[in-house]
Amino acid sequence: MKSSRIAALAMAGAVATATIACGTDDDGGRGSLALTLSGEEAAEVGFPVPGAADLRFADGWSVRFDKYLVGVGNVRVGSTEGEWAIRDDEIVVADLTAGEQPVFRYDDLPARRWDRFGYDILPPTAAARAVGSVSQEDLQRMIDGGFNYWIEGTASKGERMLSFAWGIAAPTRNDDCRNAADDSPGVVIRNNATAGYQITLHLDHLFYDQLGAHDGVEMRFDAIAAVARDGAIAWEDLASQRLASLLDADGQPLLDEEGNRIVYDPLNVPLADNNLQEYLLAASRSQGRFNGEGTCDNRSLD
Amino acid sequence: MRTVWWWVAVAALWGCIACGTSGTGEEVVPFTLAIETDPVGRRFTTATGWEVELEEAHIALGAVTLYSNAPPTASWMERLRGWFVPVAHAHAGFDEYEGGTVRGELLEPVVLDLLGEGRPFEAALEGIAGPVRSVSLELRTVAAAPLSGAHARVRGTASRDGEVIRFEGGLALPADAKSRRVTGIPAELTLADGAEVRLVVHPQRWFADADFSSLPEAGEGGVRPIPTDSQVHAAWYLGARGWGAFTVH
């Protein structure tokens, strides 16, 4: 009998906890949240992006993407008070070259501002859902390789054309995202309405010559192109480029447009090794944004 | 009714205790900021296989700032805690990093003799009590000797496979502010009354990827300079501001 009472109390406590955690305050009504995923215009047309002066390579390269697959999941919507509206462990894989696509929808949510929004960029599991044109073969390749990105494309400069097909394993948590529209934290769910938000990826960050900064950085491709063999840039070969000794295809120091030595600068971001492959892994972690230019705190999930 | 006012008074008193004596709810506390040199920084072996012995190492630091936010290298517990404990909203990580609340700062530049006797620097400061999860700083330049306009200056000897190279030079950073800042140095401290914050400089990180054989031929005295367009300068540029160049304890 005593144990039954304890069990009943425990049950009541659990229900109360769940009630608080799930936020059943219906005073504001209930609504839905629809999330789309976008790599913006760059994913569709590549670089340079027409009309965008800052979305071009300083060294004259053009890059087009045939596939820009990304695994996204673990959507979290909560409040700083510790309440949760959504903690969803589903992972989807979408191809950003297909344009903005719907990826998640959540209904029957308490209508209010939820000031904490986060998501992960991570490799898919067997339970992951392929979105749109993503093939089962591509999905399986990402599962097998533990890749959160699979990027295929071509780079060209003058008569030179190079291909690349890279699997990138750099799982990243994006927390405390802020709406680009007004820099407000999280999302607002409205009564009897569907709130639409976009998980945005900034592809240009992958090619910046400095981590953790935007002002004064340049998009560069010469150092990447320099390791090409037989017209292809292998991901593994990027490790041969030392950040303090970047070389051109002829083995000479890589110089910028003004004749200065090019240095990719990780600032204080720790790299496993000071080579270009590790640098790009870290750069890939900075792509996650929210509703366009809205920022998130991004951290390694390794 | 008197009972109600009594409880109001108790609550107000508790609020004062909880918030400290500051009108803003922040407690100002004295603390010591010490800057030290890693003993290994005098003699070390680089990743490129050079055995380096420094005879002189100077650097100028300024705007050392203690922040409440953790850098992207925060531990899993730190990340987990972030979802349960309200935090100041600031943007942090592999994208642009912001430190959040300033707990303490040293504004004036200090020139440090990293290989001298004792601690290169120690100062009594005041700060805001609370957790310090990261530190940022600036590398400064001073026109007077020993830096003579450089942000850091070294003299030493590098040896590898029987080759011995004496070198000497200054680190010249670009004019833009971001190239002179080191942000997000991890810290796990609580700033409290009498706390000591130790910022340790690790000169052995400066030349981790340097190839001293690429330095130009020696001039008079057999000492090779470190030109700003050299590989060694590029390695120094990255190493002096990069991960592990500074730690906080």
Side-chain angles (χ1 to χ4, degrees), chain A residues 84 116 175 178 210 212 214-215 242 245 261 263 265 267-270 274 289 295-301, chain B residues 71 73 76 79 82-83 86 89-96 178 183-185 209 229 231 237-238 241-243:
Chain A
W84 294 96
R116 305 202 78 176
D175 274 336
R178 302 179 76 84
Q210 190 172 57
H214 289 84
D215 294 337
R242 307 297 304 175
S245 314
R261 184 185 286 268
V263 177
D265 190 352
L267 290 174
N268 201 41
V269 174
N274 289 329
R289 291 288 183 117
T295 57
C296 306
D297 291 354
N298 38 51
R299 302 182 189 282
S300 168
L301 277 174
Chain B
T73 50
W76 266 104
R79 295 173 206 154
W83 273 94
H89 282 289
H91 185 39
F94 290 86
D95 211 344
E96 290 177 336
K178 64 183 171 56
T183 60
I185 303 165
D209 281 311
D229 63 349
Q231 189 277 342
Y237 170 72
L238 296 178
R241 299 145 54 255
W243 176 254

Side-chain angles (χ1 to χ4, degrees), chain A residues 56-102:
Chain A
R56 50 172 278 282
F57 287 98
D59 46 22
W61 284 89
S62 295
V63 168
R64 299 286 179 270
F65 301 107
D66 299 318
K67 294 177 182 175
Y68 207 112
L69 308 183
V70 57
V72 177
N74 289 344
V75 170
R76 303 172 292 280
V77 175
S79 72
T80 49
E81 291 77 32
E83 297 174 278
W84 294 96
I86 300 167
R87 279 191 288 187
D88 179 13
D89 60 5
E90 184 179 29
I91 303 170
V92 301
V93 173
D95 186 352
L96 300 179
T97 66
E100 184 176 13
Q101 299 165 78

